Amino acid sequence: MTVQLRPRHPEKAKRPESLVPRKPKWIRKKKIESAEYYETRRLMRDHDLSTVCEEASCPNIGECWSKRHATMMIMGEVCTRGCSFCNVMTGRPDALDAFEPGRVAQAVKKLGLRHVVITSVDRDDLEDGGAEHIAQTIRAVRHQNPETTVEVLTPDFLGKGAAAQAVFDAAPDVFNHNLETVPHLYATVRPGARYYTSLRLLDDAKRANPALFTKSGLMVGLGETLSDLRQVMDDLRAANVDFLTVGQYLQPTPKHHPIDRFWSPEEFEQIEQIARNKGFLGVSATALTRSSFHADEDFAALKQSRDRILAASV
């Protein structure tokens, strides 16, 4: 009997193919597979959990898993969106698993994480976009790991009204939502999203809890200019976003959005300096920067930066 496998990216089947360029030397990363790497992978399998590290083909998976860090991806492995840059599977997701929050909490405990990042697929099929499930996961992690700080990287909850309030009420330590790219590229890069909806979500998070750290991320190499990035930074600062990550887009397959160019290490240094001058509490801008890469260290740096500012104002 022949088993018909669900295509990973049905929405990209008719897209024209483009050459996936060879990575420059400053982006190539040595493969790391330590005993800790395999232990982290085993824990994810044992608890039937997905990670964005695997599903999005993150180039930092070897380093992070060898440090027993993994970004949990909840609400399944299938996304209802078809963003042209993303390698997560697109289609009709399964029903939510009511036991998943508890399994995430158990995995966090076994990994001994002092800071955990929890992300998810988009769930436009759900009335609240999955907001309550995210909130339940935050509470479950806190219950079993009271000393662990929690960072969530959420969908935009587009068209779901005040659904995100459930996440705000669960009081994560960091609320992250990635803008991903500049406004004029949304139609081709994030066709299911809206730039100002994402920006408003970040603003709402800060208004709901001014003590909450907010964070957003951008990719470069999709066709944006430095001037475009400056404008997005201004928009994020107007929404009082604390932390900005900027990394190089890497094309997963010939069917994904083509790479416009590779930004150089010197250009990433320039981006970081511009962002710091605009007042972000924290900035990470390198070719291999990703939203949850070194998130625990970044969180510690955020707290120190805020403490310094508060101390100086007294």
Side-chain angles (χ1 to χ4, degrees):
M1 183 177 70
T2 302
V3 178
Q4 182 64 44
L5 297 176
R6 178 164 50 181
R8 186 173 183 86
H9 300 295
E11 82 291 350
K12 296 179 175 69
K14 295 183 179 180
R15 285 180 58 90
E17 293 192 358
S18 59
L19 180 68
V20 179
R22 181 177 173 82
K23 298 181 186 72
K25 61 182 179 180
W26 63 83
I27 292 179
R28 297 172 205 163
K29 199 158 188 176
K30 185 178 180 181
K31 190 174 183 180
I32 302 173
E33 291 187 359
S34 64
E36 291 79 9
Y37 170 93
Y38 287 108
E39 175 64 11
T40 302
R41 188 173 71 172
R42 185 190 65 77
L43 275 171
M44 296 303 105
R45 302 292 187 270
D46 288 351
H47 289 80
D48 194 24
L49 295 174
S50 299
T51 67
V52 74
C53 320
E54 292 177 289
E55 297 303 319
S57 303
C58 180
N60 302 313
I61 186 171
E63 180 177 344
C64 290
W65 282 24
S66 290
K67 294 178 179 178
R68 298 173 67 84
H69 295 169
T71 299
M72 317 291 181
M73 190 174 80
I74 62 175
M75 299 198 290
E77 299 176 355
V78 180
C79 186
T80 54
R81 301 274 177 95
C83 298
S84 65
F85 67 88
C86 186
N87 200 38
V88 173
M89 185 183 296
T90 302
R92 181 177 295 177
D94 296 327
L96 291 179
D97 180 352
F99 298 100
E100 183 177 51
R103 293 201 309 275
V104 171
Q106 290 167 14
V108 169
K109 190 170 186 176
K110 289 185 178 179
L111 286 167
L113 298 181
R114 63 179 183 269
H115 184 82
V116 62
V117 182
I118 301 165
T119 189
S120 77
V121 292
D122 278 285
R123 291 298 302 259
D124 295 325
D125 58 312
L126 301 175
E127 187 174 351
D128 69 346
E132 181 56 34
H133 192 83
I134 296 171
Q136 289 174 6
T137 305
I138 296 170
R139 290 192 289 267
V141 170
R142 284 257 169 76
H143 179 70
Q144 293 197 41
N145 308 271
E147 301 302 317
T148 300
T149 50
V150 181
E151 177 174 333
V152 290
L153 172 56
T154 78
D156 57 14
F157 308 110
L158 183 63
K160 307 298 181 182
Q165 188 63 46
V167 181
F168 304 155
D169 290 344
D173 296 279
V174 181
F175 180 87
N176 187 357
H177 174 69
N178 287 337
L179 293 184
E180 306 290 11
T181 190
V182 301
H184 71 84
L185 292 176
Y186 260 57
T188 54
V189 176
R190 293 186 76 196
R194 301 292 181 273
Y195 177 78
Y196 288 106
T197 297
S198 288
L199 199 61
R200 178 62 182 270
L201 177 63
L202 290 158
D203 187 59
D204 286 346
K206 182 65 79 172
R207 289 175 184 273
N209 180 3
L212 176 70
F213 288 109
T214 52
K215 181 175 175 180
S216 191
L218 295 168
M219 298 174 290
V220 295
L222 291 160
E224 68 296 311
T225 65
L226 188 58
S227 178
D228 292 331
L229 297 180
R230 289 178 187 271
Q231 182 58 60
V232 173
M233 290 180 199
D234 287 339
D235 291 343
L236 288 169
R237 289 302 301 131
N240 290 310
V241 171
D242 299 300
F243 196 96
L244 176 66
T245 61
V246 184
Q248 172 70 48
Y249 166 62
L250 299 176
Q251 186 179 349
T253 74
K255 290 289 187 179
H256 284 75
H257 195 290
I259 291 179
D260 176 67
R261 72 181 182 92
F262 291 104
W263 288 58
S264 70
E266 293 75 22
E267 288 175 308
F268 277 106
E269 290 176 6
Q270 183 182 13
I271 290 170
E272 178 172 348
Q273 190 57 55
I274 292 169
R276 291 192 182 279
N277 289 343
K278 289 185 180 292
F280 288 97
L281 285 181
V283 184
S284 178
T286 70
L288 287 171
T289 290
R290 298 295 182 266
S291 290
S292 55
F293 191 38
H294 296 161
D296 55 341
E297 298 167 18
D298 291 340
F299 177 67
L302 270 177
K303 290 193 295 183
Q304 291 174 0
S305 294
R306 177 178 284 179
D307 290 345
R308 283 196 298 269
I309 290 172
L310 291 175
S313 64
V314 174

